Amino acid sequence: MPVVSPYARLASSAPASTHPLRRPSALRVVPTPPAPAVEAAPPAPPVERPSLSRREVEVLLAWLAAESKAEAAAALYITASTVNTHLTRIRAKYTAVGRPARSKANLFARAIQDGYTRLDEW
């Protein structure tokens, strides 16, 4: 005996015009309400960028490339204490504009965001 799908039997048992799901009266078109108007979000305020001096940027980039403050100091012919002073002032400037940078990774991210360096340079 051939195997017949229950769906095939259902379809063959009633003509298409009398099947309850195929009758036009069984299909109701329900109008969809219009979508509510969505207002655009206000533009984000521009990110404030601290004004770092050329020397601060130079020290920051040297320190980011170095393994330590002493190594950065040696490359710039200054003391490690001077590097530390510059970094303290840079961090204070970022905190003043609401973008604190407490770690070396944070300062690296800020340097990229503010255009002092590019990722492809590293």
Side-chain angles (χ1 to χ4, degrees):
M1 177 168 174
V3 177
V4 179
S5 164
Y7 300 109
R9 274 189 252 139
L10 179 63
S12 66
S13 65
S17 62
T18 62
H19 192 277
L21 295 178
R22 296 190 188 207
R23 281 186 283 159
S25 63
L27 299 175
R28 288 189 317 157
V29 177
V30 178
T32 57
V38 179
E39 294 183 26
V47 175
E48 196 169 342
R49 179 179 165 185
S51 58
L52 301 182
S53 69
R54 281 186 285 139
R55 187 61 170 172
E56 286 172 333
V57 172
E58 182 181 13
V59 170
L60 174 62
L61 296 178
W63 177 67
L64 290 172
E67 293 291 323
S68 65
K69 292 176 186 171
E71 186 180 324
L76 297 171
Y77 302 103
I78 57 177
T79 66
S81 176
T82 304
V83 170
N84 192 47
T85 299
H86 280 295
L87 293 173
T88 301
R89 289 181 182 161
I90 291 167
R91 285 189 171 110
K93 288 181 178 183
Y94 272 109
T95 301
V97 297
R99 298 171 61 205
R102 294 181 182 93
S103 68
K104 191 172 189 175
N106 292 144
L107 281 173
F108 182 64
R110 301 291 183 267
I112 291 172
Q113 292 166 351
D114 293 342
Y116 295 123
T117 188
R118 294 190 330 255
L119 194 55
D120 61 355
E121 294 175 352
W122 297 89

